[in-house]
Amino acid sequence: MENTVLLYDSAEDILTASKLIRKGNVVGIPTETVYGLGADALNPEAVKKIFKAKGRPADNPLIVHIYKIEEADKLGHDIPNIFYRLAAIFWPGPLTMIVPKNDIIPAETSGGLDTVGIRMPSHRVMRELIRLTGPIAAPSANRSGYPSPTSAAHVMNDMNGKISAVIDGGESRFGVESTVISFDDENTVRILRPGSVTSEMLMEHADNVIIDDAILNDIAEGREAPSPGMKYKHYSPQADVKIIDGDFENFCIYVNNNQGINTFCLLFDDDDTNKINCRYVTYGSDSSQQAHNFFAKLRELDSLNADRIFVRPPQKDGVGLAVYNRLLRAAGFEVIRV
Ligand code: AMP
Ligand code: MG
């Protein structure tokens, strides 16, 4: 057991965190997407500690976070022009781009792949930390398979005793992990994980944008996952998550006829809760709010000992697609249409 120190976002505490990371330790860090577990991306022993703390399968690669664009040229090679064009528009921000990796990236960081996912985050604390430290590898700071953390308290809940420190930088702004893309060719972007940089936004800057099949469907049998994370169960609270897709009237009829002892609903803020005969929490009235709240609400439902959650699914475009992708994975891709 390690003593996990809670740090704040002062210059002094960020320097403390940087020293811990440079010495090969793991620190929980705030970003604009979700909280990450950061370690020196170029130090294989440090990176192994991330996998151990999370219980993450060794073949699921880590995203490497950089401070300035020149660092991308050190980490990757044969980087297409479109990478730089998109970086100029969306960085710093919640977009991860996959390119062939250089030897400087240890196999531990890339999960044994010959590519690396690179992102330049915008969160002030994360940026300062990278500036002081160098490239930081950071997956989401949850136990593998569980909902991602969007506050320092969530990270403490999952990681207390397993990592050196957590920096409290407030609630994560977006609440869903970065958009992950690869390039089929110079003008074709493939979205491997939807996020707050949406397909609609990418379409304004690339000729072709493909939403990979595995975003809305379980990985097809016999197909190799283009992103290892697609293979694994993800984002799941303790409770059984059920997506009930249809208008609110039919949602209510279904729920009122199918509840068990500790059933809860996850609703929109503006749903007429008089019509529902079940305990509930709400997660916002538009897709951005729902992205911001989704993981925190799943964690809240765990703390209420929910054993089944009937969820009103978000819109399936814009940022809603990112939330829906997480929800589908939490529900094992099963959708009940009403
Ligand atoms: P997390 O670190 O928890 O945000 O998850 C990162 C996601 O990005 C996982 O689903 C990974 O499989 C994916 N990813 C990271 N690096 C690569 C890469 N080089 N190739 C394909 N997918 C990647
Ligand atoms: Mg994750």
Side-chain angles (χ1 to χ4, degrees):
M1 281 283 277
E2 270 189 82
N3 175 29
T4 306
V5 182
L6 186 59
L7 299 169
Y8 289 91
D9 57 358
S10 64
E12 191 189 349
D13 277 9
I14 296 172
L15 184 60
T16 302
S18 174
K19 285 182 182 158
L20 282 169
I21 293 174
R22 276 182 282 156
K23 279 195 206 134
N25 297 293
V26 176
V27 175
I29 38 188
T31 87
E32 71 276 21
T33 57
V34 300
Y35 271 69
L37 274 191
D40 178 348
L42 309 183
N43 175 346
E45 294 311 313
V47 164
K48 277 192 211 159
K49 292 183 190 170
I50 294 181
F51 284 88
K52 181 153 184 253
K54 276 181 68 78
R56 183 176 174 103
D59 70 348
N60 197 1
L62 306 182
I63 292 167
V64 179
H65 298 80
I66 60 171
Y67 179 70
K68 52 184 194 306
I69 187 85
E70 295 75 46
E71 288 172 303
D73 299 315
K74 296 200 186 111
L75 304 179
H77 64 88
D78 291 312
I79 299 179
N81 287 327
I82 190 171
F83 174 103
Y84 298 99
R85 289 208 310 277
L86 295 178
I89 293 153
F90 296 110
W91 281 1
L95 179 68
T96 298
M97 296 189 269
I98 295 171
V99 296
K101 84 169 188 74
N102 283 337
D103 290 342
I104 188 175
I105 301 278
E108 285 77 2
T109 302
S110 71
L113 297 178
D114 54 9
T115 54
V116 59
I118 305 177
R119 174 164 106 85
M120 185 192 290
S122 63
H123 194 288
R124 178 188 67 84
V125 174
M126 178 66 161
R127 266 184 81 67
E128 180 60 5
L129 194 60
I130 306 166
R131 190 182 71 78
L132 294 169
T133 314
I136 292 179
S140 53
N142 51 294
R143 284 176 295 153
S144 206
Y146 287 83
S148 298
T150 56
S151 73
H154 295 162
V155 181
M156 271 297 187
N157 193 54
D158 283 18
M159 292 294 153
N160 195 9
K162 296 182 178 168
I163 59 175
S164 298
V166 179
I167 307 177
D168 188 345
E171 271 182 32
S172 303
R173 180 177 155 208
F174 293 114
V176 286
E177 304 85 343
S178 61
T179 306
V180 177
I181 61 171
S182 62
F183 304 107
D184 284 13
D185 59 51
E186 177 59 50
N187 286 307
T188 306
V189 167
R190 177 177 293 273
I191 302 181
L192 301 177
R193 179 175 71 184
S196 297
V197 171
T198 63
S199 62
E200 293 85 350
M201 289 156 78
L202 290 164
M203 265 174 224
E204 287 179 29
H205 305 282
D207 290 347
N208 309 306
V209 176
I210 297 169
I211 298 178
D212 195 89
D213 243 18
I215 283 176
L216 292 175
N217 304 290
D218 208 352
I219 198 89
E221 213 173 327
R223 181 187 180 209
E224 193 183 333
S227 179
M230 291 169 168
K231 291 185 303 198
Y232 298 108
K233 188 163 165 71
H234 255 113
Y235 316 120
S236 291
Q238 307 289 343
D240 187 24
V241 175
K242 298 266 184 239
I243 303 172
I244 314 297
D245 201 352
D247 65 26
F248 187 57
E249 304 290 326
N250 289 335
F251 179 94
C252 293
I253 293 168
Y254 184 90
V255 167
N256 293 341
N257 287 327
N258 285 283
Q259 36 175 323
I261 297 169
N262 272 323
T263 305
F264 281 78
C265 294
L266 186 54
L267 306 177
F268 304 151
D269 284 4
D270 40 11
D271 283 335
D272 179 2
T273 52
N274 292 317
K275 293 197 172 131
I276 206 130
N277 184 11
C278 178
R279 283 183 286 175
Y280 63 87
V281 298
T282 69
Y283 73 124
S285 49
D286 64 39
S287 295
S288 301
Q289 289 173 11
Q290 289 161 0
H292 179 83
N293 295 325
F294 179 67
F295 287 131
K297 292 297 172 181
L298 292 184
R299 283 174 179 262
E300 184 184 327
L301 287 161
D302 266 349
S303 70
L304 293 168
N305 293 319
D307 57 17
R308 185 186 294 162
I309 311 170
F310 290 128
V311 185
R312 289 264 278 152
Q315 275 179 234
K316 296 162 187 95
D317 58 2
V319 189
L321 183 66
V323 184
Y324 189 56
N325 164 265
R326 289 8 175 229
L327 177 59
L328 273 174
R329 287 173 177 275
F333 289 95
E334 197 193 327
V335 180
I336 298 163
R337 295 187 200 277
V338 293

